[in-house]
Each structure stands twice: as structure tokens, then as C-alpha cells.
Amino acid sequence: MASSYRNGYRGSSSGSMKVDRPVPSSNLKAPSFKSRTSTGSVLRRSSPASLTALDDGVPGRVRVAVRLRPRNAEELAADADFADCVELQPELKRLKLRKNNWDSDTYEFDEVLTEFASQKRVYEVVAKPVVESVLDGYNGTVMAYGQTGTGKTFTLGRIGEEDTSDRGIMVRSMEDIFADISPETDSISVSYLQLYMETLQDLLDPANDNIPIVEDPKTGDVSVPGATLVEIRDQQSFVELLRIGEAHRIAANTKLNTESSRSHAILMVHVRRSVNGREDVISSENGDPSHLAKPFKPLVRKSKLVVVDLAGSERVHKSGSEGHMLEEAKSINLSLSALGKCINALAENSAHVPVRDSKLTRLLRDSFGGTARTSLIVTIGPSPRHRGETASTIQFGQRAMKVENMLKIKEEFDYKSLSRRLEVQVDKLIVENERQQKAFEDEVERINVEAQNRISEVERSFTDALEKERLKCQMDYMESVKQLEEKLVLNQQKHDCDGFTDGLCNGQGSRLSVAEINNLLEKETNLRKAAEEEVEHLKSQLGQHSQLEAGGDTEVLKLLKIIEDEAHQKKKLEEEIIILRSQLLQSTFEADQMRRCLERSGPGNAYTGLDSSMSPFRHSQFKDSGNGQKASMATLFEQVGLQKILALLESEDANVRIHAVKVVANLAAEEANQKKIVESGGLTSLLMLLRSFEDETVRRVAAGAIANLAMNEANQELIMLEGGISLLSITAADAEDPQTLRMVAGAIANLCGNDKLQKKLRSEGGIKALLGIVRCGHPDVLSQVARGIANFAKCESRGSTQGIKSGRSLLIEDGALPWIVQNANNEAAPIRRHIELALCHLAQHEVNAKDMISGGALWELVRISRDCSREDIRSLARRTLNSSPTFKSEMRRLRIEY
């Protein structure tokens, strides 16, 4: 049951413009019983002229049907010798009321229903046109009038638990309403009241026994703001409300009826539907309509269905009422008499209608002579002993057929919905802008770091090359100088030797000629010139080496370019080698599987038995694939090395990057590899992929690898420290692929199981991200979400038990309770099991009890304690309910036994 009896949704009209739309003329035709579509059509705006012309609405007459009750056991015995006082002619829609054996009065109605008419036919004839009008935005009323014991409550309020064909108008009306509305945009709220002894009481909250009736002085609309208004989401919740209301309704045993209603029951169903309204087409300056149009504005249609089960009129001498029951009968007859006076005044177009004579007529002010479409069913009995009461009932119906109502649609511009939608769009744009800005800044930073690294590398290479060239030049210079010095020493020694020889010759008395001395001098001069030329040549070589040092940048850059190209080519070759090794290992594994399959199939069935052996082949393949895959990954891990695999995550080739991240994800599935992956920087690389790459496959596999690493408690803190939960939240908001969302939800669910990370997980948007993922609707995704919520609730429960945590649950504060309650009885067993555990853990902390009661979780806890398929969860739910004073008090108030 949605919310609680006192916490139903009540729409506010503040800040919105109300528009009364007249009913189209087509709605006045006979209703069609074809199935309605579940999607609302777009409202076409009328022109101002037509809207003004029909502003007062279009008349719609009150439709009246008469239903005859079969004879009961008492009448079969007492009136066996007498004929029925009425004769029905349903094909002519006529009824004859016998005065005596030879005379009768004839009356015509909109519908005449015999004693054999089914409940379904009664609903389709009487109430279905009204329900369809309510779904289109009009107010509607269905009312039953007649003598006590003629079947009014059976016609309207029968729940049909024993026999579904006995379901009354209330139950069938809500079935059609739920079939037509959209749960995402529409809402239904219900109030159930009784008018007892001129006091308006709340059947859903018996303590609220004097509700005032408020009339709007401007519009004349009647409302009961003090009544309990319960928002419901499904048919089962509505049936539960009916049971509660019927249990509180006052009834008594009279001579005419063993369960005679002593009060008028009023069921009010408020329907709020969202539609799209569009303004007129914009015209151009020359009067031609433009192809542009103003944007759609959200509209809200608020309509109300009122089902009234009037208490039966009775004569005291026949019913045997006395004492307090006599006072009840007087009050019933007075209110019915006031209603009859109003009907008479409206039928005769009287200037004064006494609507203030009774609270009943004030409540029905809109139903007779107002803006609602009204259907009345009058119930009569066949016994001639009650001919007078039957005639009075028929006359009431005849007068009601003369009453005209003015049907109008009430619409409001839903600026709040538009504002919320725009805020959501703005938030998404802000998140996208921040994400792109962050990605841009990271990319700029990466490019700057890479450029600085390249510049530093080039500078080092240039410096090294320049230093080597300088040393080489210095060595060449020193070698040349050394050679010159050696030649100079040799020349000097030779010159000294020649002088010594000349002296020796002179001493011996022999004298050299002048020509010989000149020859020697000329030779010495030539040698000196040759030495000087050698020195000049060496100086020119030294200058060339200096120029080489000054102009060597271009050559160095060319060399660096060649080295860089060769390194890039080498990197690509290494990537291709790793991929080929992986593919070779996988092909080898598949070939081994096929060989084992062929060996099992035998040589005789090499071709014909291929199809028949495919199933066992696949079975054996699936059976051995785990060990084979592990062996392949281990072989790849040993042959290639973890560092090279992680390096491929930054490859420029998309196929290489995708293949590398898949290999890392498979390695991360093994607990033995997780520590090496984290220590080698694999976690950081995976988070960078999640942050910077838009490729859906990369994001999906990276999220799966992070989910595998998050199974280790030591890795969970590292993921949080490196901003992993923020990246997962952003990915959850952007992704649409169910597999990607399942991986992200699994990673967050693993983090939810860590007691130390609760507050940080919530502050960085982890819970909001989980709740946002439920938009996908895929069962596997929802199962991961439910597991995460169950893990989080379990940690909170453990912290509360140990005294570490106090205050409301963070799940409740983030708005997870409505989704938990809604999916507590999900058809998928994994989702249901996790949600049931989450509810039990939340309920163990007493501070959450009031929120859970107001959110409808108490009913689910009671259901779990009774119907859960697992004994441990049932026992946990029972212990929780027994240990909570708040739950026990609420169950006593609601009279719930478990």
C-alpha cells in the first residue's frame, strides 16, 4: 500500500493557472465500450474565439438505470402465491409497476436491468461511461439509491473475493483506471468516508470522526481537506483500502436486511494526469502560417470520481428499528428526503435549490446540477408487500433523469513539472560540461607532460652528441699539435746535427762551399713552410669542427626523428606480437576442444554425427572452459608480462586497446593476479580508461575489471582514494547499455559492502548512482542494484548494533525507500531476496521505524514474515517486528496479526 493512511499525496494548485475546458460534443453521444488506449493523446488547443463561446460548458443529462433484485428466501416463502409487483421490458427499456391485477403504470429509463443481469453488464451500462469521462479530465459520480435490502452495496462495493464475477462498480472502476494511466506521469489518490447521523467520518482513520465540508466561495467547489488521502499504485492496494473501510462502516441487523448499512458511504478517487499542450502555430508577417511553433507546455488534468452508496430508505414499522437504530433511521430518511427535494427543484428548474439542508446534498452539489457526469442506479425489489417503497424509488429515478449538468474539463499548467524537467536537464548539462572540462584539462596536462618529456629527451640527446663531438675535436686538435711538436723536435735535432758536422769538418782543415750551405738553408726554409702550412690546415679543420658544433641541431633532430619512428614501429610490432600470442593461445584451446569432441564422437561419425554431437561438445566445452581459460590467461601472463599488457591500455589503436582491457579484466577475475595488477598501476590505468574514453566496449570491460578488483577489501579503499566512485557515478549517468550498467552497478555493490566507506560512498554520489541505474529496468541490472542496497543496509545495521552509527539510514535520506518498497515483491527471485534482506536490516534500527511505516514498508515486513520462501529471512523479519516497539504499536493500531 502506497504511503500510509495519513501521508497520501495532495496536489497543490499554488502558482498554477486553472483552465475549465468544455466537454466536446462527441462526448455526449452514446458511450462506446471499446478498449481504451493506455497512452494519452496530445491536447489540441482551441482558438480563443471557440474557447470563449463554449466557456459555460455543455449540458449532459443525469443517466438513470433501474435494477431488479431477485426474490430472497423469505419472499419465496411469504409471497409464493403472489406475482411480482413489477414487470420489466429491457428490450424497450421500460418498467411496469402493477397497481392491481388489471392496471399498471409504465416508466422508461436509460437502462433496465433484470434480476439476471451480471455485475459486468451493470458496470458497463452504468459506470463505464463515467469512468471514461474521468480519465478524459471530467468529474464523475456513480450513485445507488433504493430501499434497504435491494442490493445497493452489492452493486457498488462488492469486492468479489470468493467469486471474481461478483466484483462491484468500485473494484471494476479502479481496474479500468489503472489500465489506462501511466505510473510514471499520473497519480491516483483515494478517500473513503461515511456520513453517519449528519457527521462526516473517515473510514480509513476512525479517529477522524468529524470532518468539515469546505466550499470555495469563488467557484463553489466542495472539498473535504481533513479527510485521509491515500496515494495508491496498484489494484491490490485499493482492495486493501476497501477492506479497511468496510470493516469500519456501521451496519445493523433489521427485519428487512441482516446487514443494513446505517450510513452513506462515499468513495472519492482523485485522478491527476499529465498531458502535453501546444500553443498556436506562429504566423509570419504576410499572414501565412510558419513552420515554427511555440514549445509544448505541460498540462495537468485533475478529475474526481465519486461513488456513493446511499443507506436504504426504510419504514420503521417494517424494519422494526427502535432505540438508537430508530434515531439512525430518522437521520437516514431526513438526508434522503433533503436529496429528493434538491432533485425535485432541479428537475423543475426552480430558482432555489435547498442544497444546505443536509451534508449529503452539500457533498453531492457537483453531482446534480454541477459540472460532473452523473449516473444513478435505482435498485428495487419484486415483493408486492413493498410496492409503496418501490414506487417511491422509481419516482426518484424519473425526477433525476430531468436534471441537467454542465460538463467541464479542469486543466492546470504544470509549471512545477516543467521546472523540474528543466532543472534535471541543466544538471545533466552541468555534469557533462564538468566532465568534458575535466577531460580537456587532463588531456592538456597529459600533452604538456609528454611535450616536456620529449623536449627533455631531445635536449639530453643533443647535449650528449655535442659533448661527444667537442671531445672528438679536442682529441684531433691535441693529436695534430703533438705531431707538429714531434716534427719540430726532429727538425731541430737534424739542424743541430748538421751544424756539428760543419764544425767538425772545419776543424779538420776542410771547408764546405757556399753553394752547399745555401742548399741546406733552402731545405730548412722549405721544411718550415711545410710545417706552417700543416698548422694552417689543422686550424681550418678546427674551424670546421666548431661550425659543426654550431650547426649540428638539424642533424640531431633528424637522428631523433629516425629513432622515434623506429621506437614507434617497435612498439606496434610488440603490440601485434602480444595480440597474435593471445589469439594463438585461444585458437590452440579451441582446437584442443574440437579434437576431444571428435575423439569422443568416433571415426565412424566424422560427418554424419557432427550435428548430433554438437550439444555434448558444447556441454564439455562449457564444463572445461573455466580451467582452459585460466590456463590461457596464465600462459599469456607468463609469456608477455603484465607490464607490456598494461602498456597496451594506452595504445592508439582502438582494437589493441579493447583487446588489452579484456585481457586485464580476465586476469583481474583471479584473486592471485589482483595484487600484481594493482601494484603495477593497472587500477589507475583502468580508472583513466573509464574517465577518458567514450567507446562503450572499453567502458563496459573496464567497469567489469574494476568490479572484479572491488571484490578485494584492500582494493576498495584504493578505488575510493583515486576517485573511482565518482567515475562510476558519471558512467552510470551517461551509459545506456544494460551490460555496462550491470558492470557499474556490480562495482558499486561491492563497494557498498565495506563498513569504512559508507559515508564517503554516499557523499560522492554512490547511492544516487545506484538509484539512477534502475531506469534501465533490465532484471540483471536491478539484481546488482538490489545487492548493493542490501550490502549497504547490512553494514548500517552492523554499525548501529556496535554503536558506531546513529541517526537515520543514509539509504532513507537519499530516497531509496520508495524503490525498495516497490520492488519488495518483485517477480525475479534474486531481486526479491536482496530487497527483503535490505528491509529487514533497515528495520533493525529503531530510528528508521517511523519512515518505514510512512513509506509502506511495514506491510512488506509483515508479508515477508508470512510468505517469504526462505526460512532465515522469515525468522529475521519476525524478530525485527517483535523487537521494535514502534512496529508493534502500529500493528496494534491497524489490527494486524502475524
Side-chain angles (χ1 to χ4, degrees):
M1 187 183 303
S3 300
S4 75
Y5 297 142
R6 274 296 187 186
N7 286 344
Y9 174 82
R10 186 183 302 276
S12 174
S13 61
S14 61
S16 60
M17 185 187 305
K18 186 175 291 185
V19 179
D20 289 345
R21 299 285 313 282
V23 60
S25 59
S26 60
N27 288 342
L28 299 177
K29 298 178 181 179
S32 172
F33 301 124
K34 296 181 179 179
S35 62
R36 298 171 56 85
T37 58
S38 61
T39 57
S41 59
V42 177
L43 176 65
R44 295 186 177 178
R45 305 289 296 173
S46 301
S47 63
S50 62
L51 184 63
T52 305
L54 298 176
D55 190 46
D56 294 333
V58 176
R61 179 176 61 80
V62 175
R63 294 176 56 83
V64 181
V66 61
R67 186 183 193 186
L68 177 64
R69 172 183 58 77
R71 286 194 178 192
N72 55 31
E74 180 184 355
E75 291 171 347
L76 289 173
D79 301 335
D81 298 332
F82 300 94
D84 292 347
C85 66
V86 293
E87 178 185 350
L88 303 183
Q89 297 177 336
E91 65 279 358
L92 300 177
K93 298 184 180 180
R94 290 179 182 173
L95 177 148
K96 289 185 177 182
L97 179 64
R98 292 191 178 92
K99 294 181 179 180
N100 45 48
N101 291 335
W102 58 86
D103 192 12
S104 62
D105 294 329
T106 302
Y107 302 93
E108 292 187 357
F109 289 91
D110 293 307
E111 292 291 342
V112 174
L113 303 169
T114 68
E115 65 271 28
F116 305 109
S118 65
Q119 289 281 75
K120 180 178 180 181
R121 169 157 174 76
V122 172
Y123 168 73
E124 290 181 346
V125 168
V126 176
K128 190 165 185 176
V130 178
V131 173
E132 291 180 345
S133 296
V134 170
L135 291 172
D136 288 335
Y138 306 95
N139 289 341
T141 302
V142 179
M143 187 171 68
Y145 179 90
Q147 182 188 6
T148 182
T150 55
K152 298 183 298 300
T153 302
F154 177 84
T155 300
L156 295 183
R158 189 76 169 182
I159 296 177
E161 292 178 325
E162 297 83 4
D163 187 356
T164 57
S165 63
D166 286 344
R167 303 192 312 279
I169 287 177
M170 291 181 180
V171 177
R172 294 177 185 268
S173 299
M174 292 305 298
E175 288 176 354
D176 279 0
I177 290 175
F178 277 119
D180 190 80
I181 68 167
S182 174
E184 291 79 11
T185 58
D186 306 336
S187 63
I188 301 175
S189 303
V190 174
S191 297
Y192 201 10
L193 312 173
Q194 70 173 355
L195 184 60
Y196 175 70
M197 301 284 288
E198 283 299 301
T199 302
L200 193 59
Q201 301 176 357
D202 197 333
L203 290 175
L204 302 181
D205 184 9
N208 191 11
D209 57 359
N210 191 9
I211 302 173
I213 300 174
V214 178
E215 296 182 15
D216 191 329
K218 295 182 179 179
T219 62
D221 293 341
V222 178
S223 61
V224 280
T228 300
L229 193 63
V230 182
E231 184 175 354
I232 57 177
R233 294 289 183 181
D234 51 44
Q235 183 71 11
Q236 185 61 34
S237 302
F238 174 71
V239 172
E240 290 293 335
L241 286 180
L242 281 185
R243 289 197 187 100
I244 294 172
E246 290 299 325
H248 294 150
R249 190 176 178 188
I250 299 175
N253 184 9
T254 67
K255 292 180 179 179
L256 297 178
N257 191 356
T258 57
E259 294 185 2
S260 175
S261 300
R262 314 308 290 169
S263 65
H264 308 298
I266 303 103
L267 175 70
M268 296 183 178
V269 182
H270 301 267
V271 180
R272 185 179 187 273
R273 308 198 69 181
S274 297
V275 295
N276 287 330
R278 194 176 78 177
E279 297 292 341
D280 295 334
V281 176
I282 301 175
S283 298
S284 59
E285 295 180 358
N286 57 6
D288 295 332
S290 172
H291 65 282
L292 299 177
K294 294 183 180 179
F296 286 94
K297 290 183 178 179
L299 298 177
V300 176
R301 289 181 179 175
K302 295 182 179 179
S303 55
K304 179 173 65 175
L305 173 64
V306 180
V307 183
V308 184
D309 181 13
L310 295 174
S313 61
E314 62 182 53
R315 296 185 179 180
V316 177
H317 68 278
K318 290 186 178 182
S319 64
S321 300
E322 59 184 11
H324 185 67
M325 289 177 58
L326 179 60
E327 296 298 323
E328 292 175 343
K330 289 180 181 179
S331 176
I332 292 171
N333 290 335
L334 283 174
S335 61
L336 293 177
S337 176
L339 178 61
K341 291 178 181 179
C342 291
I343 296 296
N344 290 339
L346 291 169
E348 297 171 359
N349 293 323
S350 175
H352 172 67
V353 180
V355 294
R356 296 186 176 275
D357 290 356
S358 170
K359 288 187 176 180
L360 177 63
T361 54
R362 292 177 64 191
L363 282 172
L364 299 179
R365 181 173 184 175
D366 191 48
S367 303
F368 292 97
T371 61
R373 168 164 286 182
T374 302
S375 286
L376 171 67
I377 181 168
V378 294
T379 57
I380 59 176
S383 176
R385 290 180 297 160
H386 305 303
R387 184 188 179 283
E389 289 84 347
T390 301
S392 175
T393 300
I394 292 173
Q395 290 296 333
F396 181 88
Q398 288 289 301
R399 288 190 293 270
M401 289 177 65
K402 300 178 182 179
V403 177
E404 294 278 349
N405 291 347
M406 307 298 289
L407 311 184
K408 295 180 181 179
I409 291 179
K410 293 186 178 179
E411 293 178 345
E412 296 178 0
F413 293 115
D414 192 3
Y415 289 111
K416 290 185 177 180
S417 175
L418 178 61
S419 175
R420 286 194 299 270
R421 187 165 71 246
L422 293 177
E423 287 176 358
V424 170
Q425 292 178 358
V426 169
D427 290 340
K428 288 184 177 179
L429 292 175
I430 290 174
V431 171
E432 178 66 18
N433 182 52
E434 290 180 350
R435 187 183 65 79
Q436 293 182 355
Q437 182 68 21
K438 179 64 175 176
F440 176 75
E441 292 175 356
D442 293 343
E443 184 68 16
V444 170
E445 181 67 21
R446 185 185 66 82
I447 293 174
N448 287 335
V449 171
E450 184 177 352
Q452 291 293 336
N453 293 335
R454 289 184 179 180
I455 292 172
S456 300
E457 184 178 354
V458 171
E459 287 179 349
R460 285 195 301 271
S461 301
F462 178 75
T463 302
D464 294 341
L466 188 61
E467 182 67 21
K468 290 179 181 179
E469 193 67 24
R470 186 179 64 82
L471 291 175
K472 182 180 178 182
C473 293
Q474 287 181 354
M475 294 298 295
D476 292 343
Y477 174 74
M478 294 299 294
E479 186 68 23
S480 300
V481 172
K482 185 177 179 181
Q483 292 177 359
L484 291 175
E485 288 178 350
E486 290 177 352
K487 288 182 178 181
L488 182 60
V489 170
L490 290 175
N491 290 333
Q492 287 178 354
Q493 290 177 355
K494 186 177 182 180
H495 185 270
D496 291 339
C497 181
D498 291 341
F500 175 75
T501 304
D502 291 342
L504 182 60
C505 291
N506 291 330
Q508 294 176 351
S510 61
R511 188 178 300 270
L512 295 175
S513 64
V514 176
E516 291 176 352
I517 293 173
N518 289 334
N519 291 332
L520 291 174
L521 180 60
E522 186 178 357
K523 289 180 179 179
E524 186 65 28
T525 302
N526 293 333
L527 290 173
R528 186 176 183 84
K529 289 181 179 180
E532 290 177 355
E533 290 177 358
E534 185 68 21
V535 171
E536 291 295 333
H537 178 66
L538 291 174
K539 286 182 179 181
S540 66
Q541 287 185 351
L542 180 60
Q544 290 178 359
H545 287 304
S546 299
Q547 292 178 359
L548 182 60
E549 290 180 359
D553 294 350
T554 304
E555 295 297 331
V556 172
L557 291 177
K558 289 181 180 180
L559 292 173
L560 291 175
K561 179 64 176 176
I562 293 173
I563 294 172
E564 185 178 353
D565 292 341
E566 291 179 353
H568 182 71
Q569 187 67 21
K570 179 181 178 182
K571 184 178 180 182
K572 290 188 65 176
L573 291 174
E574 289 177 351
E575 292 173 355
E576 292 178 0
I577 290 171
I578 293 174
I579 292 174
L580 290 174
R581 284 182 177 176
S582 174
Q583 293 176 351
L584 178 60
L585 290 172
Q586 186 171 358
S587 300
T588 305
F589 171 71
E590 293 176 355
D592 292 340
Q593 295 292 337
M594 182 60 73
R595 179 178 53 79
R596 287 195 292 270
C597 173
L598 293 177
E599 290 175 355
R600 285 194 296 270
S601 63
N605 293 331
Y607 298 100
T608 59
L610 184 59
D611 294 336
S612 63
S613 64
M614 187 59 67
S615 178
F617 166 67
R618 288 181 177 175
H619 177 72
S620 64
Q621 181 182 4
F622 293 152
K623 182 177 179 180
D624 301 334
S625 62
N627 295 331
Q629 187 71 17
K630 291 179 182 178
S632 300
M633 288 298 107
T635 303
L636 182 64
F637 188 78
E638 293 174 359
Q639 293 182 356
V640 178
L642 181 60
Q643 289 295 340
K644 290 186 178 180
I645 296 174
L646 294 178
L648 296 182
L649 295 177
E650 301 178 2
S651 174
E652 298 178 358
D653 191 337
N655 294 327
V656 174
R657 190 167 55 249
I658 292 173
H659 192 82
V661 75
K662 287 182 179 179
V663 172
V664 174
N666 288 327
L667 290 174
E670 293 296 323
E671 186 175 358
N673 300 332
Q674 292 181 359
K675 184 177 180 181
K676 296 179 181 178
I677 293 174
V678 173
E679 290 177 351
S680 300
L683 176 60
T684 304
S685 299
L686 290 171
L687 292 175
M688 286 295 293
L689 287 177
L690 205 61
R691 176 186 294 115
S692 58
F693 284 98
E694 299 293 338
D695 186 271
E696 192 67 31
T697 303
V698 173
R699 291 203 302 177
R700 178 175 67 252
V701 182
I706 294 172
N708 289 336
L709 294 176
M711 290 188 294
N712 191 323
E713 184 175 355
N715 298 335
Q716 292 172 357
E717 296 184 7
L718 292 176
I719 292 173
M720 296 293 289
L721 289 175
E722 296 193 19
I725 190 61
S726 299
L727 293 175
L728 291 171
S729 301
I730 294 174
T731 305
D734 294 342
E736 296 295 337
D737 179 52
Q739 295 302 321
T740 303
L741 292 175
R742 181 172 68 88
M743 297 297 181
V744 174
I748 299 177
N750 290 336
L751 295 175
C752 286
N754 193 321
D755 297 338
K756 303 175 184 178
L757 307 179
Q758 296 275 296
K759 292 185 178 179
K760 191 168 183 180
L761 185 68
R762 188 254 183 137
S763 65
E764 294 189 10
I767 304 303
K768 293 289 187 182
L770 270 182
L771 296 178
I773 291 175
V774 303
R775 71 184 186 277
C776 174
H778 195 281
D780 292 342
V781 178
L782 297 183
S783 177
Q784 294 297 327
V785 174
R787 182 170 69 86
I789 290 177
N791 288 344
F792 198 95
K794 183 178 181 181
C795 291
E796 284 192 326
S797 175
R798 186 161 54 236
S800 300
T801 304
Q802 297 173 356
I804 301 174
K805 182 187 179 303
S806 61
R808 295 172 64 210
S809 168
L810 300 180
L811 289 172
I812 296 178
E813 291 183 356
D814 275 1
L817 186 59
W819 185 84
I820 295 175
V821 174
Q822 182 180 357
N823 288 272
N825 199 14
N826 195 288
E827 295 179 357
I831 300 175
R832 184 174 64 253
R833 175 170 58 84
H834 290 308
I835 292 299
E836 289 173 347
L837 283 172
L839 279 174
C840 292
H841 289 310
L842 287 174
Q844 288 181 341
H845 196 24
E846 184 67 18
V847 74
N848 299 331
K850 291 185 178 180
D851 291 309
M852 297 185 70
I853 291 173
S854 64
L858 176 59
W859 296 97
E860 295 300 334
L861 284 171
V862 173
R863 180 191 62 76
I864 294 169
S865 67
R866 295 173 177 172
D867 304 332
C868 183
S869 59
R870 288 182 46 171
E871 177 62 30
D872 55 341
I873 300 179
R874 287 203 307 272
S875 301
L876 180 59
R878 294 193 194 100
R879 289 199 307 269
T880 302
L881 291 174
N882 287 328
S883 63
S884 173
T886 305
F887 285 148
K888 293 171 68 176
S889 174
E890 182 68 13
M891 287 189 292
R892 285 196 298 270
R893 188 181 74 82
L894 298 176
R895 302 177 184 176
I896 298 175
E897 298 181 359
Y898 67 98

